[in-house]
Amino acid sequence: MKIEFVYFYGLYNFIYDLVKDMYSEVGRPSIDPVILVKLTFIQYTFGIRSMRKTIEEVETNMAYRWFLGYGFHDKVPHFSTFGKNYERRFKDTDLFEQIFYRILMTAANKKLISAEHVFVDSTHVKASANKRKFEKKIVRKETRAYQGRLQEEINQDRENHGKKPFPPDKFDKEETKEIKESTTDSESGYYVKDERTKQFAYSFHAAADRNGFVLGTIVTPGNTHDSQILEPLVEQVIEKVGKPEAVAADAAYKTPAITSYLFNKEIIPALPYTRPRTKEGFFRKQDYVYDEHFDCYLCPSGETLKYSTTNKEGYREYKSPKQICTTCSFLSRCTESKDCQKVVTRHIWKKQIICVIIKM
């Protein structure tokens, strides 16, 4: 198709430079690429289900026509026009990402963005897929972004406690899990929130500033946990906008790995306090006092839980003396273990979470 554009002067001129290599100088005139992009703006801004419905709205909505540059009697494109152009030109390109960051840069130049404090969260979007049509598959568990850093610190912690470091194959052992894969949309993920909310969906992860401007986005299958995406999302914000002073998120992101990552980046984590989920009638974890100097825990009866090992998940294990616990009057409130031994765990990055609570 031949490029024959009627240029829209203003904010959207830069799109012509982004798409000029996607068009030919020969053939019949094409639809102006700015119109194609503006159609998607209308669709997603007003939550219209499909491009077919979007075109129907444009035909009768004067505001939409004005935005696209069409007069009342001008013929609007067929709904399949965008789909064909997407498949032939825009698919597998970063065109829309370039447009997103160009608009974001314009907002930044106008001093509209306040990126010192970034707010991170995700929302689930239902996929157009029947939740009853799926295949069960065994897949390999994805390696976490911080796994290499965690493995190094685990082995260092074991050596500091006189334990042998784990061999590489201890960490590299392939772990699998069973998932439900949609036969309609294999890229979606099976999302379960409660008994009534079970569906194939996508997770839209976004980082925004205090004024509501989206600074970065990542879309994943709906069964991807929020905490796995914070690190790449913050890296995206740092690369495109700059390093924030603080990152705020809900309790789903309150993990030792995330707080450690943010502190290492000299970013303040702003995460909520979460109440301990202890079985009723039992001592809470905070009732076991950690002694940092001697690296041990003290139980409510005053006995010492000594360091035992650091497991491959990064948790130190502190165990109580069995022979004393057997006759302890607090045993029924302490543990249900058959060998009458209480085990308290503490992540090697626990100190970072404590710093978060103190700072807040």
Side-chain angles (χ1 to χ4, degrees):
M1 286 188 176
K2 179 174 64 175
I3 299 181
E4 192 171 295
F5 299 154
V6 177
Y7 281 78
F8 288 85
Y9 294 99
L11 288 176
Y12 300 94
N13 281 352
F14 69 92
I15 294 175
Y16 297 117
D17 291 330
L18 299 180
V19 301
K20 63 183 179 181
D21 294 332
M22 302 176 186
Y23 288 82
S24 170
E25 295 293 339
V26 297
R28 59 191 177 86
S30 62
I31 298 294
D32 194 301
V34 170
I35 291 178
L36 297 176
V37 172
K38 284 186 171 183
L39 282 170
T40 62
F41 287 172
I42 292 173
Q43 180 181 351
Y44 290 105
T45 300
F46 295 98
I48 305 174
R49 295 194 312 273
S50 65
M51 188 55 68
R52 181 196 294 261
K53 186 65 176 175
T54 303
I55 294 299
E56 290 179 6
E57 294 282 342
V58 169
E59 287 176 344
T60 58
N61 190 311
M62 282 302 297
Y64 294 166
R65 281 179 170 270
W66 173 85
F67 178 65
L68 295 170
Y70 286 130
F72 187 76
H73 298 289
D74 291 335
K75 184 178 180 181
V76 300
H78 191 266
F79 70 85
S80 64
T81 302
F82 176 81
K84 290 177 180 178
N85 276 272
Y86 179 82
E87 285 291 329
R88 296 170 185 171
R89 294 188 176 89
F90 309 147
K91 190 178 181 180
D92 299 325
T93 71
D94 63 347
L95 172 64
F96 293 99
E97 186 176 353
Q98 289 186 63
I99 294 172
F100 171 80
Y101 282 109
R102 181 59 180 268
I103 295 173
L104 191 65
M105 184 177 67
T106 302
N109 293 336
K110 298 293 184 181
K111 308 297 183 183
L112 299 175
I113 290 177
S114 177
E116 297 84 8
H117 305 104
V118 172
F119 302 84
V120 175
D121 203 356
S122 72
T123 184
H124 285 88
V125 180
K126 185 180 183 300
S128 182
N130 191 324
K131 64 181 179 182
R132 295 181 180 83
K133 294 183 179 180
F134 61 85
E135 293 178 349
K136 289 187 177 181
K137 287 189 174 182
I138 303 296
V139 297
R140 188 177 185 275
K141 285 187 178 180
E142 294 181 3
T143 303
R144 292 168 290 192
Y146 57 85
Q147 193 64 41
R149 186 172 78 252
L150 178 61
Q151 291 173 8
E152 290 179 8
E153 296 198 27
I154 288 172
N155 280 338
Q156 184 61 54
D157 190 71
R158 288 179 63 85
E159 289 180 3
N160 293 343
H161 285 89
K163 299 281 184 180
K164 290 183 179 180
F166 287 126
D169 59 352
K170 180 75 171 180
F171 294 114
D172 296 338
K173 185 179 178 181
E174 187 172 291
E175 296 184 10
T176 60
K177 62 180 179 180
E178 184 181 79
I179 65 167
K180 293 179 179 180
E181 184 179 281
S182 170
T183 56
T184 307
D185 184 356
S186 59
E187 293 184 350
S188 63
Y190 194 70
Y191 168 68
V192 179
K193 183 177 182 180
D194 50 46
E195 284 301 316
R196 286 185 287 183
T197 309
K198 297 180 180 179
Q199 60 191 18
F200 285 103
Y202 288 91
S203 287
F204 178 78
H205 308 265
D209 75 341
R210 64 172 63 189
N211 298 323
F213 281 96
V214 176
L215 308 179
T217 61
I218 295 177
V219 179
T220 65
N223 54 1
T224 303
H225 195 274
D226 293 350
S227 62
Q228 296 181 29
I229 306 301
L230 183 136
E231 186 170 330
L233 187 56
V234 171
E235 289 290 344
Q236 189 182 103
V237 172
I238 293 173
E239 179 186 353
K240 301 293 185 179
V241 183
K243 189 174 76 172
E245 296 177 4
V247 170
D250 62 26
Y253 299 89
K254 190 180 177 182
T255 68
I258 285 177
T259 53
S260 173
Y261 162 75
L262 292 175
F263 275 121
N264 289 337
K265 286 286 184 180
E266 298 182 341
I267 299 172
I268 299 173
L271 306 170
Y273 170 77
T274 50
R275 293 181 179 179
R277 298 179 179 86
T278 307
K279 190 175 180 179
E280 189 175 351
F282 282 77
F283 291 125
R284 294 173 296 178
K285 190 170 183 177
Q286 66 191 53
D287 294 326
Y288 298 83
V289 181
Y290 180 67
D291 187 323
E292 187 172 4
H293 180 75
F294 292 102
D295 189 25
C296 66
Y297 273 92
L298 298 176
C299 76
S301 66
E303 293 298 331
T304 302
L305 282 73
K306 296 181 180 180
Y307 171 85
S308 174
T309 188
T310 303
N311 61 35
K312 69 173 187 175
E313 296 300 321
Y315 286 91
R316 295 174 186 166
E317 297 179 4
Y318 298 83
K319 298 182 178 181
S320 65
K322 298 180 186 178
Q323 65 278 10
I324 296 177
C325 293
T326 304
T327 57
C328 179
S329 59
F330 291 140
L331 181 62
S332 61
R333 297 182 60 193
C334 184
T335 180
E336 294 178 316
S337 171
K338 292 182 180 179
D339 58 2
C340 301
Q341 186 175 52
K342 175 68 178 179
V343 179
V344 177
T345 59
R346 181 184 181 88
H347 201 278
I348 60 174
W349 291 336
K350 176 69 174 179
K351 187 180 293 185
Q352 279 86 343
I353 291 186
I354 294 174
C355 289
V356 171
I357 296 172
I358 292 174
K359 283 179 179 292
M360 290 182 69

